[in-house]
Amino acid sequence: MLNRRKCIRQLARGEVLFHQGDVVSSLYRLLDGIVLMRQVDSGGTVVTPHMACAGATIGFRAFVDGGVHGVSAVCATDVVLCRIPADVAAQAFSGSHPLERAFARHVAAELSETEDFVLAMTSRPVRDRLLLVFARLYRQFGCHGENGVCRLPLPLLRSDIAGLAGIARETFSRAMHALEEEGLVRLEGDCAVFPDIVSFRRQAELIQPGAWAS
């Protein structure tokens, strides 16, 4: 039944998989692209605690916890995903405990990485937060260039990068200037350029040990 009912969907940037407070209707396996999780806190501020990339499972935690999403899931790029209706997933898990455990292990690893990242965001100055976001993006999407200069074609809008760092757009500009002055990263159009990736990596590890390997 699982194979018969699952379907592949393509969504454009800006489309919403689900809103905070929605009842869980589906689980999603992200095949390509980026989905941002956004949450409105008690003060009415929108925060972005998590970025899901290809390979991530979306919606499993809410599915297990009681069926209501605690975040909104917004496509930050064009995405391709596999959608599994929640009732089908429930039947599949009830008939296969190994499958349920495999999903649980996968999601637990994702949540552990997310919690480490969020902790680093809340306990560090703005400059460090932004550096960690660029480190995370580079690990996923960066590439080595000529003469030792590495580049990151920016997969997100600058406002989304600022959101992941938990900072306002004006603060983003000031923090970027600081990173540029240190020679760690600079923006050139739709790319981030890393003149000395070894120094950048060293800084990321100083801020959050294991950041480059996670």
Side-chain angles (χ1 to χ4, degrees):
M1 178 181 290
L2 184 61
N3 287 329
R4 292 198 306 270
R5 294 283 303 278
K6 69 182 183 182
C7 64
I8 304 299
R9 297 184 61 190
Q10 297 183 8
L11 298 177
R13 185 175 73 184
E15 292 195 62
V16 178
L17 295 183
F18 49 79
H19 292 91
Q20 184 176 344
D22 285 352
V23 174
V24 175
S25 61
S26 303
L27 300 182
Y28 301 92
R29 180 75 168 181
L30 187 57
L31 304 178
D32 189 35
I34 301 174
V35 173
L36 296 179
M37 307 304 163
R38 291 178 178 156
Q39 186 176 46
V40 180
D41 65 17
S42 57
T45 302
V46 178
V47 295
T48 307
H50 181 48
M51 173 182 71
C53 298
T57 301
I58 301 173
F60 186 78
R61 183 174 187 174
F63 172 79
V64 172
D65 283 349
V68 176
H69 291 293
V71 296
S72 299
V74 183
C75 299
T77 65
D78 293 345
V79 307
V80 180
L81 49 81
C82 177
R83 174 185 175 273
I84 304 171
D87 62 327
V88 175
Q91 291 181 41
F93 292 147
S94 65
S96 175
H97 293 302
L99 175 63
E100 186 176 18
R101 286 194 295 269
F103 262 82
R105 285 195 298 269
H106 175 75
V107 173
E110 291 179 354
L111 290 175
S112 178
E113 179 180 352
T114 300
E115 288 169 357
D116 289 346
F117 185 76
V118 171
L119 180 61
M121 292 294 101
T122 57
S123 61
R124 296 292 179 177
V126 168
R127 174 263 193 194
D128 291 358
R129 293 188 225 167
L130 189 56
L131 190 147
L132 285 178
V133 171
F134 276 113
R136 194 174 187 188
L137 290 172
Y138 182 83
R139 292 198 314 274
Q140 291 279 346
F141 306 103
C143 56
H144 291 285
E146 298 179 358
N147 303 319
V149 176
C150 297
R151 304 178 70 85
L152 166 67
L154 292 176
L156 299 175
L157 299 174
R158 298 185 188 197
S159 57
D160 288 330
I161 295 174
L164 280 170
I167 59 180
R169 182 59 189 272
E170 312 80 61
T171 309
F172 172 84
S173 298
R174 292 194 295 270
M176 272 307 311
H177 181 70
L179 293 176
E180 290 172 1
E181 288 289 306
E182 294 179 65
L184 293 172
V185 57
R186 66 177 183 271
L187 297 181
E188 293 183 357
D190 293 330
C191 282
V193 178
F194 303 80
D196 185 349
I197 196 64
V198 174
S199 294
F200 181 87
R201 176 175 180 172
R202 186 181 303 117
Q203 285 292 313
E205 288 287 339
L206 285 172
I207 297 168
Q208 183 185 3
W212 202 258
S214 61

